[in-house]
Amino acid sequence: MSFPKVNPTQTQAWKSLSTHFQEVKYLKMQDLFTENPKRAQQFSLQWKDFYIDYSKNRITQTTLNQLLQLAEEVQLKDAMEAQFTGEHINETEDRAVGHTQLRNFKNLPKEVSETLQQIQNFTQRVIEGDWKGYTGKKITHVVNIGIGGSDLGPDMVCEALRYYKNHLEVRFVSNVDGDHVMETIKDLDRETTLFIIVSKTFTTQETLTNATTIRNWFLQEASEGDIAQHFAAVSTNLEAVANFGIASENIFPMWDWVGGRFSLWSAVGLSVACAIGYHHFEDLLKGAHEMDLHFRESDFSENIPVVLALLSIWYNNFFEAESECIVPYSQYLNKLVAYLQQGIMESNGKSVDRNGNPIDYQTGTIVWGSTGTNAQHAFFQLIHQGTKLIPTDFIAFKKSLYGNEDHQNKLLANCFAQTEALLQGTHGSEVENSFKVFEGNKPTNTLLIETLTPKSLGSLIAMYEHKLFVQGVIWNIFSYDQWGVELGKKLAKETLSAIEKKDVSSMPNAATKKLIQQLK
Ligand code: F6P
């Protein structure tokens, strides 16, 4: 079976959708709800602890049927199987895409289960205080040094699962901004801090610079021989890690079949396992695996990632929506959007199709957002009354973790009320003047999950991973490379050399030359 390469705009479904769009684009959801008392039931999904309400979308059953037909015509099922069975679907890098294998507990690859065992042993020793620093003290702080996928996932999950945390304080340093690294380490005690350098390639400028600065800082008081008790690393580039001076027993492997932005489930999650303990980390993986099974085995019409992806295509390619918003009603999830931005935008920001041809339709959704209710007091005005159509995902948990009912009721009331306001607007009610008119008819999905646990978080993240994969398949792009980012990295090296040598002659652009000359 080979990875399908179908131009979506050439399918029958796309043509039908284009015609259908002209017929339904002005339909009011308010009317659709009035006409169909079963709409809420018809356009909702229940899966384990997840309830997904997608009835507040500008769709009819015909829209959904045609979108599902599109999924068939682009051979989504074959594409999914190609991914799950380890075909080299990342063709431009000739790699398999195996992040789901990292959490496939019924059939873990040998190297994965060995690494999980290594994570378990390591984190247990650190958490229980058996791991001692160079003066014999227990570890109290862990610092993750990494960027992009080697930072965003672990950082987001540590924040999201704070409730499940142990006594270890885990920090993250990512930016090559020297002030960031100094602020992160300035109050740390070298004797009780463990540094985890995370870099798939171990060539990333930011991470190696930060790691070297921290190593030098450490050596101001400790000796080379003490590094083994305070530095660990996660990478595919075992040779470079060894050259950096990391003891072999502190090196955790990664594999080229795991993309950086999907690597949280590998040893890249070591800092997560330190923060919440191995068994919670395993639950996170198990939650993701449950979503993998749901994605792989459910009919498309019942399939949460597929349905969400199709709705997103509907707005992106037919309504020409410019972006999508994600608003979790949980402060714990305040880093979720930044994490998803890398996953979604680094994957699907492509303009050449899988046949190597330039694309003449829109790909890659722009995603943005922040937590509710804060977001209501920031950018919601634009979603309500601005000129842009911004489909929004609302994510909420039925129960809070500390059980404060008063707060939780208010939080959920706001969440539901916003989707209602976006739907209804001032439709059918008297308003004093035109400035107070809300058109309504703004699409939303509401994801209502029982409670925030490692498992439900794992499922939620995996849901968005699969959603972006489905969209990439439909757009006929390769979602698992990131050549655009690579070019920036190359140019940064050349620019650095010009800045260091105070010589701009090699710089091709006059404006950039001038910028560099300002530094003198
Ligand atoms: O930003 C590009 C990128 O390659 C990401 O895909 C990756 O997560 C990040 O850089 C960090 O890379 P590495 O883990 O190799 O340091």
Side-chain angles (χ1 to χ4, degrees):
M1 185 199 313
S2 68
F3 205 60
K5 294 179 175 163
V6 180
N7 180 338
T9 63
Q10 299 307 309
T11 60
Q12 189 51 49
W14 194 279
K15 288 171 193 146
S16 309
L17 280 162
S18 305
T19 313
H20 173 68
F21 174 69
Q22 295 307 326
E23 293 157 7
V24 298
K25 63 181 174 186
Y26 297 119
L27 282 186
K28 297 268 179 213
M29 286 190 280
Q30 299 96 328
D31 298 331
L32 296 175
F33 270 99
T34 312
E35 286 158 18
N36 179 5
K38 293 212 173 109
R39 186 174 172 85
Q41 195 186 327
Q42 188 177 340
F43 297 118
S44 60
L45 293 168
Q46 178 79 56
W47 172 77
K48 293 189 186 284
D49 282 357
F50 284 53
Y51 175 73
I52 316 287
D53 172 27
Y54 66 98
S55 62
K56 293 169 180 162
N57 278 292
R58 291 166 73 165
I59 56 165
T60 65
Q61 189 59 48
T62 306
T63 323
L64 190 60
N65 293 345
Q66 292 181 357
L67 287 167
L68 290 166
Q69 181 59 32
L70 175 64
E72 299 292 345
E73 284 188 60
V74 297
Q75 299 165 25
L76 175 59
K77 194 76 203 159
D78 290 350
M80 288 163 66
E81 283 311 301
Q83 169 164 300
F84 277 111
T85 55
E87 273 186 44
H88 283 207
I89 65 166
N90 177 358
E91 281 183 27
T92 62
E93 296 178 327
D94 193 17
R95 290 175 185 167
V97 177
H99 49 278
T100 56
Q101 293 306 312
L102 300 169
R103 55 215 192 194
N104 182 5
F105 277 91
K106 284 201 197 84
N107 192 15
L108 283 176
K110 187 167 170 288
E111 66 266 41
V112 174
S113 56
E114 283 170 3
T115 306
L116 284 173
Q117 189 61 54
Q118 196 189 351
I119 294 173
Q120 181 168 15
N121 297 342
F122 179 90
T123 53
Q124 196 170 330
R125 285 179 62 206
V126 174
I127 295 165
E128 290 178 4
D130 298 334
W131 182 291
K132 299 283 193 289
Y134 71 100
T135 56
K137 292 183 183 166
K138 295 175 183 174
I139 297 298
T140 57
H141 289 72
V142 175
V143 179
N144 187 94
I145 310 168
I147 197 164
S150 300
D151 163 74
L152 289 162
D155 191 8
M156 179 273 287
V157 172
C158 282
E159 181 75 12
L161 299 179
R162 244 170 96 165
Y163 180 78
Y164 302 90
K165 252 183 64 38
N166 53 40
H167 60 283
L168 293 174
E169 185 183 322
V170 181
R171 298 184 185 180
F172 291 84
V173 59
S174 51
N175 202 328
V176 76
D177 176 353
D179 293 338
H180 179 38
V181 69
M182 288 323 296
E183 288 296 344
T184 309
I185 60 174
K186 71 178 181 191
D187 61 338
L188 288 177
D189 182 348
R190 292 166 179 82
E191 298 171 39
T192 58
T193 304
L194 181 69
F195 297 97
I196 307 174
I197 310 170
V198 185
S199 177
K200 180 177 165 182
T201 55
F202 223 76
T203 57
T204 304
Q205 185 196 55
E206 293 92 329
T207 302
L208 293 188
T209 306
N210 283 333
T212 305
T213 299
I214 288 176
R215 188 177 186 275
N216 292 341
W217 170 85
F218 178 77
L219 291 175
Q220 283 167 11
E221 287 185 15
S223 66
E224 294 267 351
D226 300 326
I227 286 183
Q229 281 130 287
H230 291 269
F231 284 80
V234 183
S235 186
T236 55
N237 190 348
L238 304 184
E239 202 185 323
V241 176
N243 290 341
F244 190 86
I246 308 283
S248 59
E249 65 273 20
N250 298 350
I251 301 176
F252 293 76
M254 248 185 107
W255 306 279
D256 71 356
W257 43 267
V258 179
R261 51 193 175 273
F262 305 95
S263 62
L264 154 67
W265 323 98
S266 70
V268 169
L270 189 60
S271 54
V272 175
C274 283
I276 60 175
Y278 177 79
H279 71 287
H280 284 319
F281 180 66
E282 196 173 294
D283 279 349
L284 178 83
L285 270 55
K286 286 183 172 154
H289 177 57
E290 286 182 358
M291 181 55 79
D292 297 341
L293 293 178
H294 164 76
F295 176 56
R296 193 172 180 183
E297 292 168 0
S298 311
D299 286 349
F300 288 166
S301 61
E302 306 280 313
N303 196 313
I304 300 169
V306 172
V307 169
L308 293 180
L310 292 173
L311 291 168
S312 177
I313 297 270
W314 177 233
Y315 293 116
N316 185 67
N317 294 93
F318 295 91
F319 279 90
E320 296 179 1
E322 287 145 3
S323 71
E324 272 172 28
C325 189
I326 300 174
V327 186
Y329 277 69
S330 163
Q331 202 52 33
Y332 287 119
L333 297 189
N334 73 51
K335 294 184 173 171
L336 179 69
V337 177
Y339 168 75
L340 292 177
Q341 280 177 325
Q342 187 202 12
I344 295 168
M345 291 158 76
E346 195 164 87
S347 299
N348 286 341
K350 309 287 163 62
S351 49
V352 171
D353 73 13
R354 288 198 288 272
N355 298 307
N357 300 320
I359 280 171
D360 60 1
Y361 46 87
Q362 289 291 324
T363 64
T365 34
I366 299 167
V367 287
W368 58 285
S370 77
T371 53
T373 62
N374 301 21
Q376 294 173 203
H377 302 274
F379 55 73
F380 263 53
Q381 167 64 29
L382 188 141
I383 305 183
H384 281 292
Q385 282 190 309
T387 53
K388 294 177 171 57
L389 183 72
I390 304 172
T392 304
D393 281 357
F394 286 74
I395 303 169
F397 298 93
K398 284 193 214 169
K399 296 194 190 82
S400 72
L401 294 175
Y402 286 95
N404 190 327
E405 211 179 313
D406 173 46
H407 283 259
Q408 186 65 7
N409 286 345
K410 287 173 183 163
L411 185 69
L412 291 176
N414 272 281
C415 173
F416 299 164
Q418 286 299 320
T419 69
E420 189 65 21
L422 287 163
L423 163 73
Q424 297 291 1
T426 47
H427 186 75
S429 49
E430 292 269 313
V431 281
E432 295 150 46
N433 60 53
S434 59
F435 302 108
K436 294 191 176 175
V437 172
F438 287 66
E439 185 204 342
N441 215 19
K442 307 281 198 269
T444 60
N445 296 307
T446 306
L447 282 67
L448 187 59
I449 304 167
E450 194 65 30
T451 179
L452 177 56
T453 61
K455 229 175 174 185
S456 64
L457 181 69
S459 301
L460 179 69
I461 300 168
M463 180 197 83
Y464 278 110
E465 284 179 349
H466 296 314
K467 176 186 169 188
L468 78 85
F469 166 74
V470 172
Q471 290 182 277
V473 171
I474 294 177
W475 287 322
N476 197 24
I477 54 177
F478 286 120
S479 296
Y480 295 116
D481 58 22
Q482 59 287 315
W483 297 107
V485 189
E486 305 306 327
L487 175 63
K489 288 183 193 174
K490 185 170 159 280
L491 292 185
K493 274 199 192 127
E494 293 165 17
T495 312
L496 175 62
S497 159
I499 291 175
E500 283 176 345
K501 291 184 187 143
K502 301 192 192 317
D503 175 5
V504 295
S505 57
S506 64
M507 300 307 294
N509 177 279
T512 312
K513 277 186 186 169
K514 251 185 150 323
L515 281 170
I516 296 172
Q517 282 160 344
Q518 303 296 311
L519 303 178
K520 282 184 184 159

